Amino acid sequence: DTGVSQDPRHKITKRGQNVTFRCDPISEHNRLYWYRQTLGQGPEFLTYFQNEAQLEKSRLLSDRFSAERPKGSFSTLEIQRTEQGDSAMYLCASSLAGDRDYEQYFGPGTRLTVT
Amino acid sequence: GQNIDQPTEMTATEGAIVQINCTYQTSGFNGLFWYQQHAGEAPTFLSYNVLDGLEEKGRFSSFLSRSKGYSYLLLKELQMKDSASYLCAVSDSNYQLIWGAGTKLIIKP
């Protein structure tokens, strides 16, 4: 397994458009996290899944954001009606619940630019 | 509220030792993490502390004092490739990671 992958790596979109990002976690990992990171800041938690269940969603997250993990494997993050403030790096991470479930492995991220 | 504080930037010399401090106030505590992040790349896991004391892993060591809400990351024998941001993160009562803004470490020859 080559680790967590994300697609696309870069996305430029116009304000008001919808975008969807994909994350493929490490195959045996059952936990999947989405974060957002802006320049000079640490990652900001958005949501996380255990298997296909979405267990937690940030209270700061707008209703324009939605995430799915339909079969407990890959996940998608959709942003509707994008705004310039959505421009950021969107990071996905996965972990294995159990003895070392604290160790989250990050994907390379999707950099979103909203013009 | 929840808060993680770490210095914004530090500079050190190749071959030297540097200590990056982190203080935290969170609702609950289930461990403290240090991650390294090179510019434009994803964070990579460095260390995890849940009990007080020092954890050593090669050139990197991490220390935790839960009573003081304090941790540090110690980097020895600095190399140019250690130039990166170092992120402190705490797992709160819901096992969610609360992140600091990161410390940008600049290594000079």
Side-chain angles (χ1 to χ4, degrees):
Chain A
D1 190 285
T2 57
V4 180
S5 61
Q6 292 185 245
D7 184 68
R9 294 292 305 277
H10 303 274
K11 178 70 177 179
I12 301 173
T13 191
K14 292 186 177 180
R15 189 174 49 194
Q17 297 295 305
N18 298 344
V19 294
T20 300
F21 309 142
R22 176 179 169 126
C23 170
D24 286 87
I26 293 173
S27 56
E28 63 267 28
H29 285 184
N30 54 359
R31 288 187 177 165
L32 187 148
Y33 304 79
W34 284 100
Y35 295 91
R36 175 171 60 191
Q37 187 176 25
T38 54
L39 197 63
Q41 298 298 315
E44 174 194 4
F45 169 78
L46 296 179
T47 189
Y48 100 95
F49 294 83
Q50 177 148 327
N51 300 312
E52 64 273 12
Q54 187 173 17
L55 296 187
E56 188 82 16
K57 185 175 177 181
S58 170
R59 289 184 292 277
L60 302 176
L61 201 61
S62 160
D63 289 343
R64 298 183 295 104
F65 288 69
S66 62
E68 293 183 343
R69 194 182 184 199
K71 297 182 180 179
S73 56
F74 73 93
S75 175
T76 58
L77 177 70
E78 181 182 18
I79 310 173
Q80 296 182 324
R81 304 181 302 282
T82 52
E83 301 173 357
Q84 287 189 321
D86 298 331
S87 295
M89 176 75 86
Y90 289 84
L91 294 166
C92 175
S94 70
S95 69
L96 179 63
D99 191 38
R100 289 185 67 87
D101 66 355
Y102 52 80
E103 190 168 340
Q104 295 185 19
Y105 292 80
F106 282 82
T110 295
R111 182 168 295 284
L112 173 66
T113 302
V114 182
T115 61
Chain B
Q2 309 206 90
N3 199 46
I4 310 284
D5 285 318
Q6 51 181 131
T8 303
E9 187 174 296
M10 299 182 70
T11 302
T13 304
E14 190 178 14
I17 299 172
V18 70
Q19 177 175 312
I20 303 174
N21 296 325
C22 171
T23 57
Y24 63 89
Q25 287 181 304
T26 57
S27 57
F29 180 84
N30 282 300
L32 185 142
F33 303 77
W34 285 97
Y35 277 79
Q36 180 191 61
Q37 187 174 29
H38 285 99
E41 298 181 10
T44 54
F45 172 82
L46 289 178
S47 68
Y48 170 70
N49 294 68
V50 67
L51 299 176
D52 289 352
L54 188 68
E55 295 280 343
E56 297 186 80
K57 190 188 293 185
R59 294 189 298 114
F60 294 4
S61 303
S62 56
F63 172 83
L64 174 67
S65 169
R66 288 172 296 171
S67 63
K68 295 181 179 177
Y70 167 72
S71 172
Y72 67 73
L73 180 69
L74 191 71
L75 292 78
K76 303 176 184 176
E77 301 169 13
L78 286 170
Q79 303 175 7
M80 297 302 292
K81 67 178 182 180
D82 297 330
S83 292
S85 285
Y86 291 85
L87 297 159
C88 174
V90 171
S91 177
D92 69 6
S93 56
N94 293 318
Y95 293 91
Q96 297 310 312
L97 287 184
I98 310 300
W99 296 81
T103 298
K104 182 178 180 181
L105 178 63
I106 300 168
I107 310 296
K108 294 185 174 180

